[in-house]
Amino acid sequence: GPPRSTRFPYTTLFRSIKYSHPKWLLSRWLDRFGEDDTLALCTANNRVPRVTAILTGKEPSRAEVFDSLTESGVEIEEGVVAEAIRMRRPGDIRELLPFQKGWIRIQDETAKLIGDALGPPPGARVLDLCAGPGGKADRKSTRLNSSHW
């Protein structure tokens, strides 16, 4: 069998179970990237992602949203995007006052950047072919003051 390693021990099946990745994928990664990079990929894939909220423009103030989240026990920090708030351990987001009042919506910062990069002129019609719940499309329609959505 494969040599044992203290960082990535035993067989690919063992690694598959330990790191919650399919055996075929681990085999491919081990062949292509080696043990160190494969371990790094597995570790990164198993991290709980940070939840990002985007201000909707309906909030009374950014400070009030921050205060409300902090009072609810949510650890927050500024996002890279101006309207973004990064949250750690938010619990059930539906129970947070800023979410209930429509002051925030859950959206990754990169999705927000996609909408901003598009930059259609006012009155333009935009077809979002990658639409999920409609966060980017909703944001664009708000910025365009459009009634076509």
Side-chain angles (χ1 to χ4, degrees):
R4 291 182 182 229
S5 163
T6 55
R7 296 191 63 199
F8 225 164
Y10 310 110
T11 66
T12 304
L13 176 60
F14 175 84
R15 295 170 186 164
S16 173
I17 295 166
K18 181 175 179 177
Y19 295 102
S20 300
H21 284 69
K23 185 178 172 184
W24 67 266
L25 183 59
L26 285 180
S27 294
R28 179 181 292 176
W29 285 355
L30 286 165
D31 289 344
R32 289 184 183 176
F33 307 123
E35 285 191 27
D36 290 344
D37 288 343
T38 299
L39 176 60
L41 283 168
C42 290
T43 301
N45 283 344
N46 286 325
R47 283 192 191 118
V48 175
R50 193 176 334 194
V51 176
T52 304
I54 302 292
L55 297 172
T56 63
K58 300 173 187 172
E59 70 280 353
S61 72
R62 182 180 188 88
E64 192 165 335
V65 174
F66 273 56
D67 290 345
S68 178
L69 291 170
T70 303
E71 287 169 11
S72 296
V74 179
E75 297 173 33
I76 59 171
E77 64 184 52
E78 300 269 345
V80 174
V81 175
E83 298 92 351
I85 302 169
R86 294 179 178 171
M87 302 185 290
R88 291 186 192 274
R89 299 183 181 89
D92 186 348
I93 292 166
R94 297 170 297 180
E95 293 180 9
L96 297 174
L97 181 68
F99 185 79
Q100 292 174 350
K101 295 221 177 229
W103 299 345
I104 61 171
R105 77 167 162 271
I106 305 307
Q107 183 179 30
D108 189 82
E109 289 179 273
T110 55
K112 165 75 174 71
L113 290 170
I114 291 167
D116 290 348
L118 177 61
R125 291 186 182 196
V126 178
L127 177 61
D128 184 354
L129 297 175
C130 299
K136 292 184 295 296
D138 177 61
R139 185 73 176 166
K140 280 289 125 200
S141 85
T142 301
R143 292 181 80 198
L144 295 173
N145 294 323
S146 176
S147 61
H148 300 292
W149 299 85

